[in-house]
Every structure is written in structure tokens, then in C-alpha cells.
Amino acid sequence: ERMVERKAEENIRFFDDLLKGVEKSLQSSRGQELAESLRQRYAAALIDEFQDTDPLQYGIFSRIYPDSDSLIFFIGDPKQAIYSFRGADIYAYLKASRQVDARYSLGVNWRSAPRLIEAVNALFKATDDPFAGSGIQFEPVEAGLPAAALEDEEDPDAALRFWLLPEPEKRPWSKEAATTMLCRGVASEIARLLERSSQGRLGIEGRALRPGDIAVLVRSHSQARAVQQALRPYRIPSVLQGTGCLYATDEARELLCILRAVAEPFEEGGLKAALITGMLGQGAQDLAELMDSEQGWSRVLERFSRYRDLWSTRGLFVMASHLLAQEGVRERLLGFPDGERRMTNLMHCLEVLHRQSCDRRLGLRAQLLWFARQIEEKPSLEEAQMRLETDEDAVKLVTIHKSKGLEYPVVFCPFCWGSSNVRDDEVFFHDEQQDRRLCLDPGTGNLEHNRELARDEALAENLRLLYVALTRAKYRCYVGWGKINQSDSSALAWLLYPPAAPLGNLTQALSDHLGGLSGEERGAVFERLKQRSGGALTSQPLPEVPLHITPYSPESVPPGQCREFRARLARDWRIGSFSMLSASAHRRPEGPGWDEPVVAPVQQFRAEVPNDSIFAFPRGATPGTCLHAFLETLDFQRDMNSETGRCELLQQIGEGLGRYGIDPCWSDTVLVMLRHLMRAPLPGRDGPIRLGNIGMCQRLVEMEFHFPTARLTPASLCEVFNRCALSEIDRQRVTALAAIDFVPMTGILKGYIDLIFEHQGRYYIIDWKSNDLGSSLKDYGASELEQAMRSEQYILQYHLYALALHRYLRARTADYDYEHHFGGVFYLFLRGVQADSHLSGIFTDRPSMKLLDALDRLFAEGEQE
């Protein structure tokens, strides 16, 4: 209950919360209405992987599609329901399967070769209850592939091979001993297969078998690491495909130690600890000699002090690049047998730490604290999952859960003998008395009985996991088996030695039955399976490890050759803007509202003029951006004259000025400016336009545009303006463009249009300008504005804006016509706009259609030679 409250307080919803919310809504008084609405929107439903459903999800679908008139398909294979640890509930699937109108099954397997299918059929049909009381039946399937097999001269027939450990003298083999023997056997057999393949005596699909064709399926990451360790003497490349935690690795702990030494280079103990890590590679003797050499120790301190300075000034990645290069970390790590794994973990740690420092703007100590916390807590986040150390042709070491849905030509399953025991003091089980609902026994008087039920469910799930493992192979599968501690409650034990009509606890009945069999009786099972499968399933002793190991050498792979780069790089491709095109005249930062020339820093003072004058308002980019911010969010139709409206707006203006470091005493000045701006008559095509009459739904603020441009040069741009100049004033404006000189470019042109508004079916552009042209209204007359537009290259700017709007309307407006829809351009110089004048502070123009068409062609086709 408290968790629900906390999530509501912090506005957090997880996937399960969404499901519970839907269920709650469907059970409410309007639940029937919701279900009918969903059925109307989704007349049919097809749900894949339904074996991984749960009662909550199944209940939701049952309410949405409640009767036989509903069209809903549940697609799933209950034999592959292996995700109970994620909440999947096989009993919900089985309940659904009993309530459907019809069932359809796939009777053909298109993954595996015929002999392997025959072997799996024989194994699972050896008992009438192959999935241990779960109610799941096994239906044999036929092969869809042709009669292909591993091209093996020695033994092409047996597709499913059981490796039998030698009989122990007294007690069963311990898990550790069995794991060691099986890992050595796997490595030896993989080496043998690859060697025979290189000799042309074994192949696959007309080619040599490669390490990448082989997978070893495991239950845990420790087993995968044990197999990888056994493969290293043979120098067979392998890759761990799992979800181990990055922060649990030695590399994460060593990196933290090194970073602490970098952050505190003069803390001698921490620096010594860093130097003896595997990454920096100093041994005890090396460190002792270094401490005896005053000059040598000083050089170490100097290097680490330099690393700290780099970290402080240029960031983690720059520092780490220097440290890795100067300390020889890459060469040292790659010299280890698992060097690629170590190097991958190190670079992954640096990446996540760098991302955190950038996203959260962490300082040195904060980065170290965050990283240390991750190592301590080992969070199960996606970013903390270990990455593949290599993508080369390598043996795949993968957990059975991860292998679901995948296919490998040759598969090894050496560890499918794990027990089904449940020893926790708290057990989960499905209560038969409560319609197989999932229950938790935290330690009641029925704990032992319920633990038996939990063991039976674990056995059933292990059988499904075994089915997934044995059906991943295409041509051949190896399985390890023997008299191993606690293997008498394993899934393999149930299939090989099923007890006759067990009553009560299945795992106990299995253990008792297996304990009463002699060695001969245990071995005779495989002969019967061999006969039943027609020789497709066989058993053999665990391969012996050779006394002398020959390293694997992929002779069939030709030596690598460096490819010659012949492509031609487009060095003029980039993203441009008006600021870039006019950079020869003015250097301006990029972004919305940053098109003002910087004439002075922000001044925090009261001007020596009345507050109702805008001419003394601070100048520069920051005040200009502040005014832009007001105008972006201001409702033009807002009441600015009543006492209430005036007070509210003054408060907002004062807060906004403060955010930009401007004295709030200018609030009245800005309010007067806004009043003038809303009342000023803009010379529209159908008569005067007042912004105070423009509603929010008629405005598009800060429209960002990007459009591709072919090769563009200053000469080609000026040539278009010269060619299309229709009047004397056009020719005068074109003359000002001669000052433009930019590096020729190809790529994308981008920009931001301050405001687009619609009035009487026509669309207009507004650009706000806070430029200081003088301290009186006469400084904002028509001739003065014309001069400012030319000197600041705004002529080019508004033609680019006009082209962007022209293209936008052409794409979005039905029956678009430039002459009718395009109203014009207004450049409003905010300091000079007056409520009773259309001449002061207002520059207006309407580019000719001829010029816009010519610019359109120039950007689309580029400079014509």
C-alpha cells in the first residue's frame, strides 16, 4: 500500500502499474463500456508468446473478448515457458488453453535436421508424462528440412549424444568435479571437431565447421566462464553472451582504484594501490624499486597530477585516453588470455561514467561517489549489462534462457543435470485448492508440504528449460550426464528414469526410484533410447583430454589484408545557417533568438531616462534573448490595461528579467513596449493588422526548419538575387549582399523563424529585433531601418525565412497559391515601434515569386557550371 502511495507521489508508473490500471478500469462501473470500445477499435487480437502470460494479463483479455463471438488467438508453446522468474505463469496459459474454442498445432519442425528431431522425439516420448505433472503433453513432430546432417566421416548418424561420466567409486561426483570434467570434455571435443574440419574430414553445408557454428548452453555465468577458461589453452575464440553485471567485474573495481589515485595523486597509499592493479601492472619488486628512486617516484606523481588536471579541465574521456596510452594499459590488458573481455569492460565502464558526468554535470568527487555506489549496489540496469567482448568468429557461450528462439549448428549442453531442490524458508507455489493461484508461504505450518509443491513446479520448469536447450541445435547436440550430487531430482533424471505412477511428491519419488537402480540398469536406458530413435540418440564416455594440447589455428581463413580507401570524401558537406552564410560580416552564436549583433554586455543599472522609454533598455544578446522569451509565450490578446491584468503581467515581466540578470526596475518599460507592439498597425495586404487581435491558435512560434541544399557558393547566391531584382530598391539591396563571403557548402540549411501568424487566410513572418539604432523615434524611420537591414544582412535572412515558409505552405496547404496565401515579412525593431504609427520601427517586404522560385531551384539543384 505504501509503495502505491510513493509511486503516486513521485508520478512513477511501471509496466505492471499499467496492467493493474487497465484491470481496475475494466472492473469498474464503466468497465463494460471500455471493453466494448476496445473491441470496436481492435476487432481481432493475436497475442504471441502467450506461454509467458500471467493471470492478470489473461484476465484483461478475457474481459475484452469475453465470448465465442470474439476473435482472439493465443500463440504459444507451453513447452518453452521458462520465464517464471519474470512473472510468467504457465498455469494461466493452461487455463486459457482449456477455455478456447479450438486448438491448432504445428506438426513440422523447420529448424533441426531429421535425425536430431527423431532423437528428441524418442527422449521425450520415453515417458507418458514428460513435463512432470504440469499437464503439458509432448506431440512428436516431423522434419521439414531435407535429410541433412553434420558431414562427419567417422560418425555421421548420431545427432543427440549423451556423454557419460565414469562411475564414481563411492559417493556421487561433486558438482565442482563434474563441472571441471565436463568443461575439459567440451573444450577437447570442440578442438577435435575444428581440427578435423581443417583437415577436410568434417564439414557443414559444404564448408568447414567454424567456431562461430558452435554454442555451449549453460545455466549460469560461472559455468560459462569455466567453459571459456577450458577453451583458452586451445586458443579457441569464445564469447560470453549473457547479462553479467558490469559493476561486478575486476575492471570496474580496478578503474575505481585508479580514478581515486588520479583525483588524489599525492595520497601515497591510494597511488600505490592503483599502480599494482592489473591495468597498471606494477609488481611488488617494481613498486619497491620505484619508491627507492626519488626521481622515478616524482615522475609518477607528475604524470598523475597531469591526469588530474586533464580530468578537471577537459573531462574524463580525454584524461582516460592519455592515461591508457602513456601507461600502456591496452597492450597490457590485451596480453592476457581474456584480454578482449577485460578491455571491453574497461571501455564500457569509462563510457557509462562519462555519460553520467555529462548528463548530471558531476564533478570529480561526485563521479567517484556515483561509480563507487554502482560497484557496491550492482544495479540491474540495461547499461550495467556486460557487452560482447568480440564480434569475431567465436564459440558462443550463452545461457539457456538467452538462447530461446535462436539456432546453432552444433550445441553442447553439459550442465542439464542441475537439481530441482527448493531450500528457501519462503517458498512460492501454485495452490490447487485456489485454482492454481500463485501463493507465498513465509513459514507457516504447511511449509514442508508447500515446499514439495514448489519442488515439483521447479522440476516441471527445468524440463521445459531442457526442452529449449535440446531444440536449439540444427545438426548435433551433446549432453552431459552421470552420477552427480543432487542430479537425482534433475529434469534429465525424470526423462531417463521416470518413476512408475508416482504418488504425492514427484521429486521425492524420482529420487527414491533412481537411488534403487544399479549402474547396469542406469546404463541400459541409453541402449533402449538408441533403438527407439533408430541410432539418432547414442551414449559414449566423456572424451579424454589429450596430454599435449595443440592450439587451434584457423588455416582455412586467409590472412587479413588492409583494404585501400578509394572513396571521395565530400569535404564541403555541413549544416549551415544564416549566421554561417553572413559570418564574413558578423560572428553570431547559433540558435533561436541569437541573431542580434552583440554590442555591449548586460548592464545592471537604472537608466537616466523615464521608465516609459525603451531607448535606454540594456543592449546586447542577453537582453535581446530576454525580450524574445517574453514574446514567445505572451498571449497577444491578453488584457494589459486593467489594473489586474497590468499587475499580473508586471510580476511575470519582473521575474523574467531577473532570470536574465536584468534589473526588474525595467518592468514598466517593457510593459509599455508590449502595449505599443500589440496596437501598432502592421501594413497587411488587406489593411492594417494589429497583433493584439491575433489569437494563440493563429500563431506558430520559433518554427525550426531544415532543408537540403546542393552546392551553394557566394557567387551563385548573389547571381540569383541580381538576376531577379525587379526594382531600383531591389538592386540597392542586392548590392549589400556583395559583402557575403562564405566557404562553399553542400548539406543542410537550418534556421528558426521567430513567429508565423495567419490573418484572413494569409500567412505572415515576424522577426523581433532589439537592435539599438538610436535614442529617438527618428532613428527608427524607414531610411534608417533600410540601412540596418542591409548592414546586418537581414535582407538575406528574411528571404531564407520566406523560402522556408513557402515550402512549408506548399507541402501543407491544399490549393496553395503564393499570391493569395503569402502575406509578407515584418521585421519589428522593438525599441522604435509605436502604437499610432506604421512607419516607426516596422520594416516590411514581400519577396517576389520569381526570386523565391530561383532560390528554390538553387538550393535543389546547386550551382550550375
Side-chain angles (χ1 to χ4, degrees):
E1 292 173 355
R2 179 58 185 144
M3 180 67 75
V4 173
E5 294 174 2
R6 285 284 302 277
K7 286 190 286 191
E9 291 169 1
E10 300 183 22
N11 197 27
I12 293 173
R13 288 172 70 82
F14 296 99
F15 182 72
D16 282 347
D17 297 317
L18 301 179
L19 293 176
K20 293 174 183 175
V22 174
E23 182 194 40
K24 184 178 179 180
S25 298
L26 287 168
Q27 292 177 337
S28 68
S29 59
R30 300 187 63 186
Q32 186 63 32
E33 182 181 347
L34 173 60
E36 291 176 359
S37 174
L38 289 170
R39 280 197 301 276
Q40 291 176 3
R41 184 170 184 179
Y42 305 104
L46 185 150
I47 306 167
D48 199 11
E49 300 292 347
F50 195 70
Q51 76 274 2
D52 297 327
T53 191
D54 57 46
L56 178 62
Q57 295 182 71
Y58 176 55
I60 290 173
F61 288 114
S62 298
R63 290 185 177 90
I64 299 173
Y65 303 96
D67 49 43
S68 58
D69 294 333
S70 303
L71 190 59
I72 183 168
F73 294 88
F74 300 136
I75 299 97
D77 182 0
K79 301 188 298 298
Q80 299 189 58
I82 58 175
Y83 292 116
S84 63
F85 68 94
R86 293 182 183 172
D89 192 330
I90 185 60
Y91 295 102
Y93 174 92
L94 295 174
K95 180 179 180 180
S97 69
R98 292 191 295 269
Q99 296 176 346
V100 297
D101 297 329
R103 297 189 190 186
Y104 307 89
S105 297
L106 298 176
V108 178
N109 181 311
W110 293 91
R111 168 183 286 126
S112 302
R115 296 297 283 165
L116 189 56
I117 292 174
E118 293 170 11
V120 173
N121 284 342
L123 179 63
F124 279 87
K125 288 298 291 182
T127 173
D128 295 332
D129 187 12
F131 293 99
S134 62
I136 301 172
Q137 298 301 314
F138 178 84
E139 297 295 336
V141 294
E142 298 179 356
L145 296 178
L150 208 62
E151 299 158 8
D152 189 346
E153 292 181 355
E154 294 182 4
D155 188 5
D157 201 39
L160 183 57
R161 304 185 176 205
F162 277 83
W163 279 348
L164 304 182
L165 296 179
E167 279 291 316
E169 294 182 359
K170 295 181 180 179
R171 297 179 180 178
W173 294 109
S174 68
K175 295 179 182 179
E176 293 76 13
T179 298
T180 300
M181 287 189 289
L182 285 164
C183 286
R184 291 175 179 174
V186 167
S188 173
E189 179 67 3
I190 292 176
R192 187 184 71 87
L193 292 176
L194 294 175
E195 180 183 10
R196 294 178 58 238
S197 177
S198 65
Q199 297 169 354
R201 298 161 56 200
L202 184 145
I204 174 176
E205 299 174 0
R207 62 171 175 81
L209 184 73
R210 298 191 296 263
D213 298 319
I214 302 171
V216 183
L217 305 188
V218 298
R219 291 292 301 269
S220 66
H221 298 298
S222 61
Q223 292 173 345
R225 287 190 289 269
V227 174
Q228 191 172 51
Q229 186 69 30
L231 288 170
R232 281 178 186 144
Y234 297 91
R235 297 184 184 175
I236 297 174
S238 61
V239 58
L240 286 167
Q241 293 185 314
T243 56
C245 181
L246 173 68
Y247 302 118
T249 62
D250 292 339
E251 290 71 42
R253 291 187 288 271
E254 288 193 358
L255 178 61
L256 177 62
C257 182
I258 293 171
L259 292 179
R260 283 172 170 165
V262 171
E264 297 285 350
F266 295 101
E267 201 286 298
E268 191 172 285
L271 183 54
K272 290 178 182 178
L275 291 174
I276 61 173
T277 59
M279 291 184 189
L280 300 187
Q282 295 285 345
Q285 184 64 33
D286 300 325
L287 187 60
E289 293 175 358
L290 193 61
M291 294 296 296
D292 289 339
S293 171
E294 182 176 344
Q295 187 176 8
W297 187 248
S298 296
R299 284 197 296 267
V300 172
L301 292 175
E302 182 182 349
R303 289 203 311 273
F304 274 76
S305 298
R306 191 162 58 248
Y307 297 149
R308 188 188 192 283
D309 292 340
L310 282 172
W311 192 359
S312 300
T313 58
R314 301 183 63 186
L316 173 71
F317 244 125
V318 173
M319 180 277 293
S321 298
H322 282 76
L323 187 148
L324 265 59
Q326 295 187 25
E327 305 297 332
V329 175
R330 286 188 178 87
E331 296 81 355
R332 187 173 296 109
L333 290 185
L334 292 175
F336 288 96
D338 60 342
E340 287 185 326
R341 174 76 271 162
R342 298 189 186 203
M343 196 65 208
T344 300
N345 290 344
L346 170 59
M347 297 309 294
H348 191 180
C349 287
L350 289 172
E351 181 183 323
V352 296
L353 186 52
H354 171 72
R355 187 185 306 124
Q356 283 293 323
S357 66
C358 291
D359 292 347
R360 301 171 62 182
R361 301 185 183 279
L362 303 178
L364 267 64
R365 296 190 180 279
Q367 291 178 48
L368 289 173
L369 287 172
W370 178 86
F371 195 43
R373 190 179 305 116
Q374 308 313 302
I375 292 174
E376 179 181 354
E377 298 176 358
K378 301 176 181 59
S380 57
L381 303 174
E382 183 177 351
E383 71 168 17
Q385 295 178 5
M386 290 169 59
R387 295 172 176 170
L388 297 183
E389 62 266 42
T390 176
D391 58 0
E392 67 174 302
D393 186 26
V395 174
K396 311 296 189 298
L397 309 177
V398 56
T399 62
I400 300 174
H401 286 94
K402 281 286 183 180
S403 73
K404 183 176 177 292
L406 302 179
E407 171 191 308
Y408 309 96
V410 178
V411 170
F412 289 81
C413 300
F415 308 114
C416 291
W417 37 262
S419 73
S420 304
N421 289 336
V422 177
R423 294 183 175 179
D424 296 335
D425 292 333
E426 299 175 352
V427 297
F428 288 93
F429 65 99
H430 289 79
D431 194 341
E432 295 180 352
Q433 306 301 320
Q434 300 189 44
D435 194 25
R436 290 284 192 178
R437 289 181 59 190
L438 182 64
C439 298
L440 167 67
D441 188 332
T444 69
N446 293 325
L447 180 62
E448 283 306 315
H449 171 72
N450 293 333
R451 181 178 285 115
E452 291 178 356
L453 297 178
R455 288 195 191 106
D456 289 351
E457 292 181 20
L459 172 62
E461 176 145 3
N462 285 338
L463 282 160
R464 300 193 294 272
L465 200 63
L466 175 63
Y467 174 82
V468 170
L470 298 183
T471 54
R472 295 310 94 198
K474 185 174 183 179
Y475 297 113
R476 183 178 292 180
C477 182
Y478 295 83
V479 182
W481 179 246
K483 197 170 184 180
I484 305 169
N485 187 30
Q486 297 187 358
S487 65
D488 53 1
S489 64
S490 67
L492 269 178
W494 179 269
L495 289 181
L496 295 173
Y497 313 101
L503 299 175
N505 181 241
L506 301 181
T507 51
Q508 187 60 49
L510 173 61
S511 180
D512 293 343
H513 173 65
L514 193 57
L517 297 178
S518 64
E520 291 77 10
E521 290 173 318
R522 291 165 64 102
V525 167
F526 295 100
E527 186 60 34
R528 291 196 296 270
L529 288 172
K530 182 178 180 179
Q531 294 175 2
R532 185 179 291 120
S533 66
L537 184 154
T538 188
S539 62
Q540 59 192 65
L542 183 69
E544 296 183 0
V545 179
L547 296 176
H548 302 287
I549 293 176
T550 303
Y552 167 68
S553 177
E555 298 177 359
S556 59
V557 179
Q561 294 182 347
C562 182
R563 295 175 61 188
E564 183 179 351
F565 185 78
R566 297 178 181 275
R568 181 179 178 273
L569 294 177
R571 299 184 181 277
D572 61 348
W573 199 102
R574 59 187 179 277
I575 297 178
S577 64
F578 162 71
S579 299
M580 187 214 74
L581 298 180
S582 61
S584 57
H586 302 285
R587 298 284 179 184
R588 303 181 181 86
E590 299 286 343
W594 287 87
D595 52 4
E596 319 278 343
V598 180
V599 296
V602 177
Q603 303 288 334
Q604 294 200 31
F605 62 90
R606 289 186 65 93
E608 299 298 329
V609 293
N611 281 348
D612 60 353
S613 171
I614 192 65
F615 299 122
F617 189 76
R619 301 175 298 167
T622 301
T625 303
C626 178
L627 295 179
H628 272 77
F630 286 140
L631 294 167
E632 283 180 27
T633 57
L634 178 68
D635 183 354
F636 293 169
Q637 295 179 318
R638 181 172 183 171
D639 180 13
M640 299 185 185
N641 296 315
S642 69
E643 186 62 27
T644 301
R646 178 178 177 276
C647 290
E648 291 178 353
L649 194 53
L650 280 174
Q651 181 180 356
Q652 293 180 11
I653 293 172
E655 292 173 354
L657 291 171
R659 282 195 294 270
Y660 287 87
I662 301 173
D663 196 325
C665 70
W666 294 101
S667 298
D668 286 316
T669 304
V670 174
L671 179 59
V672 171
M673 181 270 291
L674 294 176
R675 285 174 174 170
H676 281 294
L677 193 61
M678 295 302 105
R679 299 174 185 173
L682 305 183
R685 296 187 64 195
D686 302 304
I689 304 172
R690 287 177 170 78
L691 292 180
N693 297 326
I694 304 299
M696 297 291 284
C697 62
Q698 296 171 270
R699 297 163 50 184
L700 185 57
V701 177
E702 287 293 349
M703 187 187 86
E704 183 179 6
F705 63 86
H706 294 77
F707 52 76
T709 174
R711 181 170 173 78
L712 183 67
T713 66
S716 63
L717 191 60
C718 290
E719 190 275 331
V720 167
F721 277 93
N722 279 316
R723 176 161 40 88
C724 298
L726 303 179
S727 63
E728 179 60 30
I729 192 169
D730 286 342
R731 286 188 284 273
Q732 293 175 5
R733 290 172 178 172
V734 168
T735 303
L737 296 178
I740 292 176
D741 183 21
F742 58 87
V743 177
M745 66 162 288
T746 302
I748 300 293
L749 198 68
K750 72 169 186 176
Y752 303 85
I753 301 177
D754 286 349
L755 178 66
I756 298 171
F757 73 89
E758 178 271 332
H759 180 70
Q760 296 184 0
R762 304 187 194 276
Y763 297 86
Y764 297 84
I765 291 173
I766 285 184
D767 201 273
W768 316 111
K769 296 299 179 188
S770 63
N771 306 47
D772 184 6
L773 304 184
S775 57
S776 65
L777 289 178
K778 65 181 180 59
D779 296 317
Y780 294 85
S783 60
E784 288 76 14
L785 296 186
E786 182 73 30
Q787 178 60 35
M789 294 293 294
R790 296 179 190 178
S791 63
E792 298 297 335
Q793 300 297 344
Y794 293 154
I795 304 296
L796 173 62
Q797 185 184 41
Y798 75 73
H799 278 89
L800 296 177
Y801 291 175
L803 177 60
L805 178 57
H806 172 60
R807 288 185 169 188
Y808 181 80
L809 294 176
R810 187 171 63 192
R812 299 294 185 92
T813 305
D815 302 323
Y816 171 68
D817 178 66
Y818 177 81
E819 296 300 330
H820 172 73
H821 289 98
F822 197 100
V825 176
F826 298 116
Y827 268 53
L828 303 185
F829 289 76
L830 301 176
R831 298 173 192 265
V833 176
Q834 292 295 300
D836 56 354
S837 172
H838 69 276
L839 299 176
S840 178
I842 301 173
F843 174 89
T844 183
D845 189 23
R846 186 169 179 273
S848 70
M849 184 64 192
K850 178 182 178 181
L851 178 53
L852 288 189
D853 277 344
L855 286 173
D856 203 7
R857 286 193 300 273
L858 175 65
F859 288 121
E861 301 172 4
E863 182 181 39
Q864 302 298 310
E865 297 182 0

